[in-house]
Every structure is written in C-alpha cells, then in structure tokens.
Amino acid sequence: MVKKKIVLELDERYFNKRDLSNATYEYLKNENHSCELLDSDTIIVDGNKYLIQEWNTSAIVPLQQVVLKLIKE
C-alpha cells in the first residue's frame, strides 16, 4: 500500500533545507526503509517518489514536521 502523505517529527530543528532532507533520509534508513535522496526536495522511499516539505507550527512549543507528499508520475 502506497501512502500519499507521510508526516515525520525529527528530534532536532533544522534551518537549512539540505540538512532537513539529509536528516529525513537518515531517519528513514534507520527505520529500515529503502530510500534514495535525489535532491533537497525529492526522496524515493520504498520505490515511491515523494516531495519533501517542511511544516512549522507555533503552539506553546514550536514544532517542525517533515511532510512527504507522493509525486504521481
């Protein structure tokens, strides 16, 4: 089953898109997913291509999430 959207919360906060993409790649590899980082905006996870987006919320504690959106080919 292909997920259209994957949301991750990483332990650290990243201010650079390249660092965020690399951390996302490392997180997924450590979770035993097959992945390949194409560039700072695109990653292949388990054979499916996703767009890497950053989402920030400013509640009581600021939260940074990584949202992977499936790219339809």
Side-chain angles (χ1 to χ4, degrees):
M1 182 173 149
V2 177
K3 293 185 179 184
K4 292 183 181 180
K5 181 168 79 170
I6 300 170
V7 179
L8 307 172
E9 292 179 14
L10 303 176
D11 293 333
E12 294 184 38
R13 190 164 181 79
Y14 298 92
F15 299 98
N16 176 304
K17 182 71 180 259
R18 171 62 66 188
D19 293 341
L20 179 72
S21 299
N22 289 333
T24 301
Y25 170 81
E26 290 298 325
Y27 175 84
L28 291 169
K29 288 296 272 186
N30 289 336
E31 293 291 316
N32 295 320
H33 289 279
S34 164
C35 59
E36 177 183 355
L37 189 60
L38 299 179
D39 56 39
S40 61
D41 294 318
T42 314
I43 191 169
I44 297 175
V45 180
D46 299 329
N48 300 298
K49 191 183 288 188
Y50 289 90
L51 177 66
I52 301 171
Q53 295 181 319
E54 175 185 359
W55 182 259
N56 291 292
T57 60
S58 57
I60 295 170
V61 176
L63 177 68
Q64 182 180 47
Q65 295 179 325
V66 178
V67 179
L68 304 179
K69 288 191 176 182
L70 184 65
I71 298 173
K72 295 181 182 178
E73 295 186 42

